[in-house]
Amino acid sequence: MLKVDAATVEIRNSACPHDCPSTCALEVERLNDQTIGRIRGSKANTYTDGVICAKVARYAERAHHPDRLLRPLFRTGPKGSKQFREISWEEALDRVTERFLDIEHVSGTEAIWPYYYAGTMGLVMRDGINRLRHAKKYSGQYSTVCTTLAFTGFIAGTGALRGVDPREMADSDLVVIWGTNPVNTQVNVMTHAVKARKRGGRIAVVDVYENSTAQQADIFVRVNPGTDAALACAVMHILFRDGYADWDYLEKYTDAPKELEAHLQSRGPEWASRITGASVEKIEEFAKAIGDTQKTFFRLGYGFTRQRNGAVAMHAASCIAAVTGAWKHKGGGAFHNNGAIFGWDKTLIEGLDLRDPSIRVLDQARIGHVLTGDADALKGGGPVQGLFIQNTNPMMIAPEHLTVKRGFARDDLFTVVHEQFLTETAAMADIVLPATMFTEHDDFYQGGGHQHILHGLQIVDPPGECRSNHQVICELAKRLGAKHPGFEMTPKQIIEATLQASGRNGLDELARENWFDVQPAFDQAHYIDGFAHPDGRFHFQANWSEPSPKGFGHHAPENMPKLPDHWDVIDKTTSDKPFRMATSPARGFLNSSFTETQSSRKREGRPSVMMSSADAAKLDLVDGQRVSIGNDRADTILHLKVTDVANPGVVIVESIWPNSDFETGIGINALTSAEPGSPVGGAVYHDTAVWVRPVD
């Protein structure tokens, strides 16, 4: 055990890098040049407010884990066998360069696909891979596993991806937490919601099961997966019916209030109850609480949008605050994400000045279809023959896992993975490169769930031969003949230049202050001067035919509702597949991160499926029993938890456990679909019909 002189412990400021809207401001104990200790949330940061999740507080367990990758590896056995030998960085980079140049020479640059996501949310280390992509004209990536449907639905109403200052939850008289479980996934939401309760406010929760957040609610509305828009419509029906609609606000700030009222006449609580599974009485109670409370704050999450109708659901829920005029009040209105307030110029980070719009863009969530040669997924082009992966673990997190696995197993696919652990994706690689963690490199961050720009400068030296994403990209660029000023700059130089190009103060001031609070003024955040559409109004009538802001999209089907409605395109249950499954986030894991730490694994126990007692009795199943869960894509085995947290007909699998933790070796994402949600794509993790059967 490391002995540390308390007098030598330094406290350094940083930011949590993980894929969470909270992006917490951190205080990190630096024990020596190589070692961190405990991590705490910064009390001085008004959003973090001194509170962080337990898994990040124990980050030293992850940073100093004995299974950290420390040296480059070259595969010597079959893909997935974990048979590697250590090699030097020089040999590793030479091998990658030789293969990528060969592929480029024979099949063209689009045969190589740099693939990444949010293993770090640092702007330099996450997004720098795009500079190499654009400089080499490699295939593009449309990032669809998380935000696409949610962002599209919110922007359809407001016209911009921004909302009320999330710290105003503390000033609210009713905080509605819809489709997110912040106790598990973004604890700071609960920090501010509980402040509201201490003032006499209430907390309402809408979700598909009685999770840790719902257990703290004053009002809990439990709905079936994929039915949130029906609940929103019924709530607005009641608001209009009972005189709670703010007609002065509606006439001044919205596009079609009379059309909406007429449309909702037939969408009352009885109609919604049949669809959602929530009782008429509960829907009435929820709507009345909203109607009676001017300062209602809608904190809208991601979970309820991971459905084929997810964009429609987000738009419908966001409409409620416009019906009541809650936007007028401090502590009222709606918030999903603050991405639009930062105004980044990422030209240097991403090499946007080199981007060729003629290069194909491939759908991240459909990686299985891309790698197995689906012509539509390949956009009519040739096969992907080279993969360079940073910051993500598609062998665990991508939908249709068995298809993904077949793609990675191709003998002609050359895969390079830059990682911190030998993940299931790294195990399928030809070359594995050891990566730094956030305390071991320089970066900066934005808070999607709040309004701060934060620095995360290096605190300790990397272990072994670990190198940062930026170092690896720049080394490969030199060998591959890619030219851009960003390849010749340090991360600090890129941060400084990006801050200045984006109209911000420089890195020295950011490091001195620890964060910049860039919250817009009240009138802008609450859209008092008008919403961000050209007509200045909130749009109840969604224009789903507008192209994706990233220029990639599935066109809106003709039957996609223009006004808020239940759009019945979800994965239907059948007699063979009578249950709807949601793969909700576990508290101890963060996507596939922290699945390697013993404290998180101990907390989560084992892969399991939650089912109501009524359903278990019908199937003659008992708590703890091994059951098969599956559909026509795959099936696997879990242990049953009999608990009445969800409606009958709904099962919950809190994940993501590694595939290797299932006795079949097949994880839960083998069951989820890679079908893109409408109108512009997006993964549909919680939109899955399954069977549950006893294992003989």
Side-chain angles (χ1 to χ4, degrees):
M1 188 174 189
L2 179 69
K3 292 184 178 180
V4 179
D5 181 355
T8 68
V9 173
E10 300 177 59
I11 303 298
R12 298 284 185 88
N13 289 284
S14 189
C16 180
H18 284 278
D19 186 11
C20 166
S22 287
T23 317
C24 292
L26 304 178
E27 295 177 351
V28 181
E29 291 182 348
R30 183 184 186 274
L31 306 186
N32 56 42
D33 289 349
Q34 292 81 35
T35 314
I36 64 169
R38 292 284 296 179
I39 295 181
R40 293 176 287 274
S42 173
K43 185 68 176 175
N45 183 278
T46 53
Y47 185 74
T48 301
D49 199 23
V51 179
I52 61 171
C53 66
K55 50 187 174 284
V56 172
R58 299 190 303 266
Y59 211 86
E61 180 185 7
R62 188 170 192 271
H64 305 304
H65 197 289
D67 293 341
R68 278 282 301 267
L69 290 172
L70 300 178
R71 291 168 186 81
L73 303 175
F74 171 70
R75 182 172 59 83
T76 58
K79 291 187 175 185
S81 67
K82 299 186 178 181
Q83 296 175 28
F84 294 93
R85 68 173 174 87
E86 293 183 355
I87 57 176
S88 68
W89 269 100
E90 195 73 15
E91 180 183 350
L93 293 172
D94 284 348
R95 285 180 178 274
V96 175
T97 302
E98 181 181 1
R99 284 298 301 272
F100 278 9
L101 289 176
D102 283 348
I103 292 169
E104 178 182 336
H105 177 72
V106 174
S107 303
T109 58
E110 290 186 10
I112 297 170
W113 193 20
Y115 189 90
Y116 78 110
Y117 203 51
T120 177
M121 296 292 278
L123 274 64
V124 175
M125 299 300 165
R126 181 190 66 193
D127 300 333
I129 193 172
N130 289 319
R131 191 183 330 118
L132 182 64
R133 181 196 314 279
H134 298 321
K136 290 295 297 178
K137 299 188 186 301
Y138 293 151
S139 283
Q141 175 179 300
Y142 184 45
S143 297
T144 52
V145 300
C146 182
T147 65
T148 320
L149 292 163
F151 286 5
T152 301
F154 192 84
I155 294 169
T158 61
L161 187 63
R162 57 178 170 82
V164 174
D165 184 338
R167 294 169 295 194
E168 286 187 30
M169 281 183 281
D171 300 305
S172 176
D173 293 329
L174 177 65
V175 179
V176 177
I177 299 172
W178 196 317
T180 183
N181 181 9
V183 169
N184 279 17
T185 60
Q186 42 182 316
V187 65
N188 311 95
V189 170
M190 294 306 296
T191 299
H192 296 284
V194 169
K195 288 180 182 178
R197 175 179 279 157
K198 289 178 178 178
R199 294 177 36 261
R202 292 186 291 172
I203 298 172
V205 171
V206 179
D207 216 306
V208 297
Y209 73 119
E210 190 176 355
N211 52 42
S212 301
T213 302
Q215 290 167 7
Q216 298 190 31
D218 300 290
I219 301 170
F220 172 47
V221 187
R222 188 170 64 191
V223 297
N224 296 325
T227 66
D228 297 79
L231 174 64
C233 287
V235 167
M236 290 187 284
H237 168 100
I238 294 166
L239 295 173
F240 280 114
R241 182 197 72 190
D242 293 351
Y244 290 118
D246 184 336
W247 278 101
D248 289 340
Y249 185 88
L250 286 163
E251 295 288 357
K252 181 177 180 180
Y253 283 101
T254 70
D255 66 335
K258 290 185 170 59
E259 293 89 335
L260 178 65
E261 182 185 30
H263 167 73
L264 295 173
Q265 288 287 333
S266 60
R267 289 159 176 82
E270 292 81 7
W271 167 84
S273 179
R274 292 191 294 271
I275 296 169
T276 65
S279 69
V280 170
E281 294 75 19
K282 181 61 68 174
I283 296 170
E284 292 275 5
E285 177 194 8
F286 180 48
K288 186 176 189 303
I290 293 169
D292 284 336
T293 311
Q294 290 185 322
K295 293 166 58 176
T296 297
F297 189 112
F298 290 85
R299 182 57 176 87
L300 305 173
Y302 290 93
F304 76 113
T305 70
R306 290 177 180 142
Q307 313 275 348
R308 288 164 176 80
N309 60 11
V312 170
M314 172 62 81
H315 175 246
S318 74
C319 288
I320 303 173
V323 171
T324 65
W327 287 100
K328 297 186 301 185
H329 307 285
K330 185 177 182 180
F335 180 84
H336 171 62
N337 184 284
N338 249 341
I341 74 172
F342 296 100
W344 294 120
D345 181 340
K346 289 190 181 180
T347 302
L348 182 60
I349 293 176
E350 298 196 30
L352 297 176
D353 48 334
L354 300 179
R355 181 178 177 272
D356 182 347
S358 70
I359 298 296
R360 68 177 176 181
V361 179
L362 305 177
D363 189 333
Q364 173 198 27
R366 301 193 71 205
I367 184 173
H369 290 258
V370 169
L371 296 184
T372 53
D374 180 283
D376 177 67
L378 288 167
K379 300 300 170 188
V384 168
Q385 297 176 339
L387 274 177
F388 175 49
I389 299 176
Q390 290 183 323
N391 307 329
T392 190
N393 186 8
M395 279 285 292
M396 271 181 66
I397 67 97
E400 295 189 26
H401 166 70
L402 295 185
T403 305
V404 176
K405 186 175 182 179
R406 286 198 303 274
F408 270 96
R410 281 171 37 204
D411 289 334
D412 65 329
L413 177 67
F414 180 69
T415 302
V416 183
V417 176
H418 187 201
E419 251 295 359
Q420 298 160 347
F421 293 92
L422 193 62
T423 63
E424 296 189 31
T425 302
M428 300 295 285
D430 298 279
I431 299 289
V432 180
L433 306 173
T436 51
M437 291 188 181
F438 78 103
T439 56
E440 301 157 7
H441 57 238
D442 296 322
D443 214 333
F444 72 135
Y445 305 83
Q446 72 176 53
H450 52 87
Q451 56 284 100
H452 293 99
I453 298 168
L454 310 97
H455 78 81
L457 301 182
Q458 184 174 339
I459 295 173
V460 293
D461 297 332
E465 298 177 17
C466 294
R467 295 187 184 180
S468 73
N469 291 0
H470 179 72
Q471 287 176 290
V472 171
I473 287 164
C474 292
E475 286 293 327
L476 283 176
K478 292 175 185 176
R479 286 168 163 80
L480 292 165
K483 304 293 184 184
H484 190 273
F487 296 133
E488 308 300 325
M489 299 169 70
T490 66
K492 284 185 177 179
Q493 290 171 328
I494 291 176
I495 296 169
E496 175 72 26
T498 301
L499 286 169
Q500 295 199 10
S502 306
R504 303 295 180 189
N505 292 328
L507 178 56
D508 287 346
E509 186 168 348
L510 178 60
R512 186 166 56 250
E513 296 186 7
N514 294 321
W515 49 78
F516 296 150
D517 185 340
V518 298
Q519 174 62 36
F522 179 92
D523 283 3
Q524 183 181 0
H526 286 254
Y527 297 98
I528 301 300
D529 298 327
F531 286 87
H533 292 293
D535 62 3
R537 294 175 178 269
F538 183 94
H539 282 193
F540 294 131
Q541 294 178 319
N543 183 3
W544 300 118
S545 63
E546 289 182 347
S548 161
K550 296 186 179 179
F552 182 104
H554 307 269
H555 297 294
E558 290 185 4
N559 67 336
M560 199 167 181
K562 299 298 186 292
L563 287 165
D565 210 346
H566 173 60
W567 190 30
D568 194 14
V569 294
I570 55 179
D571 194 16
K572 299 289 196 306
T573 57
T574 65
S575 57
D576 292 331
K577 297 177 294 183
F579 297 100
R580 301 235 337 126
M581 177 183 74
T583 54
S584 304
R587 189 169 185 174
F589 303 150
L590 201 166
N591 302 324
S592 68
S593 297
F594 297 95
T595 57
E596 67 283 330
T597 57
Q598 286 304 309
S599 58
S600 289
R601 294 178 65 86
K602 181 178 180 181
R603 189 193 188 289
E604 297 306 320
R606 62 188 179 187
S608 60
V609 54
M610 304 179 196
M611 173 185 281
S612 73
S613 56
D615 287 332
K618 286 181 184 177
L619 296 175
D620 199 23
L621 300 174
V622 297
D623 190 73
Q625 184 172 350
R626 291 163 62 247
V627 294
S628 167
I629 180 170
N631 52 29
D632 47 7
R633 283 182 285 276
D635 63 274
T636 191
I637 294 174
L638 300 91
H639 286 80
L640 183 67
K641 286 185 179 179
V642 178
T643 173
D644 291 316
V645 294
N647 289 333
V650 176
V651 295
I652 307 295
V653 179
E654 290 189 335
S655 325
I656 304 169
W657 282 93
N659 295 285
S660 57
D661 280 293
F662 292 77
E663 64 177 81
T664 61
I666 298 173
I668 204 64
N669 274 324
L671 280 61
T672 57
S673 173
E675 179 183 339
S678 293
V680 293
V684 294
Y685 290 108
H686 305 326
D687 191 357
T688 309
V690 297
W691 67 66
V692 179
R693 301 168 180 166
V695 175
D696 293 335

